[in-house]
Structures are given as structure tokens and as C-alpha cells.
């Protein structure tokens, strides 16, 4: 992976919803993200509308290069999901920068519990302090459909 200085010089991270490229985000997630394969555009648009969203953008072209979505009450809890980096932009630390931006945006509001799920990026998130659940048998889930 290239160092974060390269990432900082080449990309900017923003939480401005007006900058999001919803069509690009949908194409990424619905065709290339194991957790969102087949997601409809209508579903994705509702998810974006109901969430806090972050993007990483190429400083020269302005084109969106990465995305992260956060479900949060902006007071105590945040679930970080849909973290995706365009294949052509990987290796610049963008996933790490996006999750760091989420933490830095929400921590001053009192958010102390950040959760995420991953099948294959444990090492990326561990660098930011994420660990497996201390008491996983306390957590439950309801899966419909």
C-alpha cells in the first residue's frame, strides 16, 4: 500500500452529500461488493438518504473514488457499512481515510461505539483500533427474507 501522504495529495474526503455520485456508488456496490450484490438502485438511494455518507474524490478530476455509509444517532452509536474503494484507486489508503473521517466526525458528538462487519478486511480495520466483539453472545440479529 502506498503511504497516506500520497492519498492526502491525490484525494480529498468529504461528507458533503451533494458531491456523492449515486449512480457510481450503486454500480460499485450492486456488482462488486459481496454484501450488496443485486441491491436495487431504489434501495441504494433510500440507504443514502437515511445515512451519513462520506466520499473520497480525486483532487484533479473530482471523480468519486471511494464511499462509506454510516448509520448513526450522532450521539452514542455508529454502524459503518458499505465501505468501498474503486478498484482503480485501491492501494492509496482510502478505506482507512474514510473510516478515520467517520470516527473524527462523530467522536466529538459523544459516539463511543462504532461497529462494522467484514469478511476480508480485518487487518485494515485493526489498524484503526477495531477488535472482534468482546462478548459476541450478547449480540443478536433478526434476518428477514
Amino acid at each position: 500500500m502506498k503511504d497516506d501522504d500520497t492519498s492526502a495529495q491525490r484525494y480529498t474526503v468529504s461528507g458533503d452529500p451533494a458531491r456523492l455520485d449515486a449512480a457510481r456508488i450503486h454500480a460499485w456496490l450492486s456488482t462488486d461488493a459481496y454484501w450488496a450484490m443485486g441491491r436495487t438502485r431504489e434501495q441504494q438511494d433510500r440507504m443514502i438518504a437515511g445515512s451519513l455518507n462520506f466520499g473520497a474524490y480525486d483532487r484533479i478530476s473530482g471523480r468519486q473514488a471511494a464511499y462509506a455509509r454510516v448509520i448513526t444517532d450522532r450521539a452514542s452509536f455508529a454502524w459503518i457499512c458499505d465501505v468501498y474503494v474503486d478498484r482503480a484507486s485501491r492501494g492509496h489508503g482510502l478505506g482507512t481515510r474514510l473510516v478515520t473521517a467517520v470516527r473524527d466526525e462523530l467522536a466529538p458528538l459523544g459516539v463511543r461505539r462504532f461497529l462494522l462487519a467484514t469478511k476480508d478486511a480485518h487487518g485494515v480495520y485493526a489498524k484503526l483500533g477495531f477488535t472482534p466483539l468482546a462478548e459476541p453472545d450478547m449480540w443478536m440479529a433478526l434476518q428477514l427474507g
Side-chain angles (χ1 to χ4, degrees), residues 41-123:
R41 173 67 191 267
E42 189 268 334
Q43 277 180 306
Q44 185 64 53
D45 288 347
R46 282 189 292 135
M47 292 170 158
I48 289 171
S51 303
L52 179 62
N53 302 275
F54 290 80
Y57 305 89
D58 184 284
R59 289 184 188 272
I60 296 169
S61 70
R63 187 175 175 129
Q64 188 166 353
Y67 174 70
R69 184 170 68 87
V70 187
I71 301 166
T72 182
D73 59 12
R74 292 179 168 94
S76 66
F77 175 81
W79 175 32
I80 303 169
C81 48
D82 288 345
V83 178
Y84 185 90
V85 178
D86 183 73
R87 288 186 176 274
S89 300
R90 292 180 184 172
H92 296 284
L94 290 179
T96 301
R97 284 194 58 210
L98 284 171
V99 174
T100 299
V102 168
R103 180 200 62 206
D104 292 351
E105 175 94 8
L106 296 173
L109 302 177
V111 174
R112 295 291 174 258
R113 183 170 307 231
F114 294 82
L115 293 180
L116 58 79
T118 184
K119 189 188 318 183
D120 56 4
H122 295 80

